[in-house]
Amino acid sequence: MKPLVSPKRIPSSYAKKILVVFDLDGTLTESKAPMDAEMATLFVNLLRKKRVAVIGGGRYTLFKEQLIAPLEGHPRELFRNLFLFPTTSTAFYRYHHGWKNVYIHRFYSGERAKIKRAFREVLREAGYTPPQKVYGKIIEDRGTQVTFSALGQDIVARLGVKEGVRRKEEWRRKYTPLKMKIARLLAKRLPNLEVRAAGFTSIDVTKKGIDKSYGLRQIEKYMHVPIKEMLFVGDALFRGGNDYAARLTGVDCVAVRGPEDAKTVIRRLVEPRVR
Ligand SMILES: [Mg+2]
């Protein structure tokens, strides 16, 4: 596995990479929030030079809100360089006269019911008590992925980015050990599925073998770009983080702490001589 590189120490050779893969939440955007205007401009500049793929845990409609809506007003032909892998690459969309689905790995309805039941049992067993007020569903069925969000799926949409993200960070500080316990118990109960602690407050369940390394291999397959010509940028590349699987492919990785770091990365890729 290659060592992680920090945004300020990116080797100049990385500017020659053919394709850049980003995580979404905590990397290009704050958790579940849209890209800010500065990021949108940088992102467009990157799309003019390189192919870009985004692999995130959120569903496709969230990708549209967080990533595509902020690019409104820029030339649409740039979207031909953009590849979307929502719900941890259980689905793939590309632009060709509009956004088109290339593949989607849905659960059978029986599987989804089984996962939701396992979640309910494990939450009880782990002693999880939901906070008095939650914002949206705690367990969301995304068709291709079932996701637990401790404070509810819609907290950022309802409370705004600042307050929503603040509360999620607070929950993470207090309850990460509880979350990891829930994830362990769930993995035992669902041995044929993939269970991953993700983001600040969530746990994702997908079909077995689907994680960000699967996403990178799909990019290799569909875009014919070898992994050594890719660069991966994420905020959870540490062991146990939801970007960690990407590292197992041997891809070069840049570890960021949030969107400001990711902007530094993009600046260095689009203007390689700016140091
Ligand atoms: Mg992230």
Side-chain angles (χ1 to χ4, degrees):
M1 203 159 25
K2 294 188 177 162
L4 293 176
V5 170
S6 79
K8 292 198 170 140
R9 293 181 188 275
I10 292 181
S12 52
S13 62
Y14 283 13
K16 296 196 192 90
K17 298 274 187 191
I18 294 173
L19 189 146
V20 188
V21 187
F22 290 95
D23 163 54
L24 185 56
D25 280 355
T27 299
L28 289 174
T29 68
E30 297 292 349
S31 185
K32 293 205 175 168
M35 276 200 295
D36 66 36
E38 187 181 34
M39 180 64 91
T41 305
L42 285 165
F43 196 78
V44 164
N45 290 342
L46 187 63
L47 284 176
R48 289 183 202 282
K49 293 201 158 189
K50 291 189 189 297
R51 283 185 265 176
V52 177
V54 181
I55 310 179
R59 57 189 196 277
Y60 176 57
T61 50
L62 261 176
F63 268 56
K64 288 295 220 29
E65 290 167 30
Q66 291 179 259
L67 195 64
I68 304 304
L71 300 176
E72 198 59 45
H74 294 284
R76 286 182 161 243
E77 68 257 24
L78 288 173
F79 289 160
R80 292 216 300 258
N81 272 349
L82 179 57
F83 307 93
L84 309 181
F85 292 85
T87 43
T88 324
S89 69
T90 54
F92 171 29
Y93 294 82
R94 68 188 306 173
Y95 193 85
H96 184 73
H97 307 296
W99 288 101
K100 301 279 158 57
N101 177 253
V102 179
Y103 70 71
I104 184 156
H105 302 307
R106 286 185 184 284
F107 285 128
Y108 311 111
S109 62
E111 270 178 315
R112 286 145 67 185
K114 191 176 129 193
I115 297 164
K116 285 186 264 187
R117 194 164 55 240
F119 257 121
R120 284 194 294 271
E121 287 167 9
V122 163
L123 290 175
R124 213 178 306 128
E125 194 181 331
Y128 165 81
T129 34
Q132 281 201 326
K133 182 151 178 57
V134 294
Y135 301 85
K137 287 184 180 162
I138 297 272
I139 297 167
E140 186 185 46
D141 180 355
R142 298 177 181 170
T144 52
Q145 176 175 300
V146 178
T147 295
F148 162 80
S149 297
L151 301 173
Q153 302 291 331
D154 305 327
I155 184 162
V156 173
R158 301 239 197 115
L159 296 183
V161 175
K162 208 169 162 212
E163 181 59 12
V165 173
R166 188 191 69 76
R167 292 209 196 173
K168 287 171 88 161
E169 279 175 344
E170 184 182 79
W171 195 91
R172 173 171 68 168
R173 276 197 302 277
K174 280 193 195 158
Y175 296 114
T176 291
L178 173 66
K179 187 174 107 165
M180 300 317 281
K181 183 178 173 190
I182 295 168
R184 272 196 312 275
L185 290 170
L186 196 65
K188 253 192 231 166
R189 217 168 273 232
L190 301 170
N192 300 320
L193 297 171
E194 201 72 51
V195 175
R196 247 181 337 269
F200 292 174
T201 59
S202 39
I203 298 170
D204 294 331
V205 181
T206 56
K207 282 185 180 284
K208 195 79 180 167
I210 294 195
D211 56 20
K212 294 200 183 185
S213 74
Y214 174 85
L216 292 190
R217 288 196 305 274
Q218 299 314 299
I219 295 169
E220 191 171 41
K221 176 175 151 189
Y222 285 97
M223 271 80 97
H224 310 289
V225 175
I227 282 176
K228 66 176 190 312
E229 299 292 346
M230 298 180 201
L231 182 65
F232 184 93
V233 184
D235 72 318
L237 285 154
F238 44 85
R239 192 180 286 274
N242 66 344
D243 296 322
Y244 183 76
R247 288 181 75 187
L248 302 176
T249 64
V251 71
D252 283 312
C253 291
V254 184
V256 298
R257 288 161 304 177
E260 292 310 312
D261 273 359
K263 288 174 188 173
T264 304
V265 176
I266 297 176
R267 282 190 197 103
R268 276 159 202 254
L269 295 176
V270 294
E271 302 156 22
R273 275 159 306 181
V274 178
R275 290 279 147 171

